[in-house]
């Protein structure tokens, strides 16, 4: 187990060096906000993105509408110097749930937003809770839950005027 411990220490050191290098690059190659706003506007003018740029559903007799995860990811990509994603922190096979973290880091401004939450390995159906058993079903369930929280993280990091322009 000493070998595993040494490998973990080396991986953590490598990750730390990577984060430092990314931060240096972001400070060296600052985003051109005007150019990036133009890129966002151009992207939002594309039909395919326009078709999937918002979500909409009914809840309690009201229509809920907002920017989709697809739009949020596009904004993060075109805004630049942003790292975002999600990861499974742990999986509890006994309780059939996973602890997940989503994050968005504006490297240039050193602003970070994250969410840690638990996803049950189950799907709610009209006939009750259906436990998921296949790795694929569990992954898709986690990915779906993570995508919504990732969207929230990205939209908290990207300046609100940029989000409003894209919406």
């Amino acid at each position: 187990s000493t070998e595993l411990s040494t490998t973990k220490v080396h991986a953590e050191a490598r990750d730390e060096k990577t984060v430092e290098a990314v931060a240096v690059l972001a400070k060296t190659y600052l985003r051109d906000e005007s150019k990036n706003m133009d890129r966002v506007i151009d992207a939002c003018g594309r039909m395919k993105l326009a078709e999937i740029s918002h979500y909409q559903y009914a809840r309690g007799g009201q229509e809920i509408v907002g920017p989709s995860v697809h739009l949020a990811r596009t904004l993060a990509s075109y805004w630049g110097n942003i790292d975002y994603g999600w990861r499974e922190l742990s999986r509890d096979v006994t309780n059939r749930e996973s602890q997940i973290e989503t994050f968005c880091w504006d490297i240039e401004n050193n602003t970070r937003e994250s969410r840690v939450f638990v996803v049950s390995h189950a799907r709610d159906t009209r006939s009750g809770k259906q436990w998921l058993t296949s790795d694929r079903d569990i992954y898709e369930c986690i990915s779906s839950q993570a995508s919504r929280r990732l969207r929230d993280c990205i939209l908290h990091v990207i300046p609100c005027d940029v989000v409003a322009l894209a919406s």
Side-chain angles (χ1 to χ4, degrees), residues 44-58:
C44 291
R46 293 194 312 262
M47 185 59 70
K48 184 62 179 171
L49 180 59
E51 289 172 355
I52 60 173
S53 66
H54 287 80
Y55 64 86
Q56 179 178 356
Y57 62 92

Side-chain angles (χ1 to χ4, degrees), residues 84-147:
Y84 60 92
W86 65 269
R87 63 178 163 242
E88 185 174 21
L89 300 174
S90 65
R91 183 174 291 196
D92 182 341
V93 293
T94 304
N95 292 318
R96 298 190 256 193
E97 61 186 27
S98 293
Q99 185 178 39
I100 308 299
E101 178 188 30
T102 58
F103 64 91
C104 182
W105 177 32
D106 180 336
I107 305 159
E108 188 174 313
N109 294 324
N110 199 26
T111 302
R112 190 172 198 280
E113 191 77 26
S114 67
R115 306 279 182 277
V116 175
F117 55 98
V118 174
V119 175
S120 176
H121 298 169
R123 185 178 300 124
D124 290 323
T125 67
R126 293 181 195 267
S127 58
K129 186 177 278 196
Q130 176 188 3
W131 291 104
L132 305 175
T133 55
S134 78
D135 285 340
R136 179 180 177 174
D137 286 344
I138 292 169
Y139 170 81
E140 289 174 356
C141 177
I142 292 169
S143 179
S144 175
Q145 295 286 325
S147 290

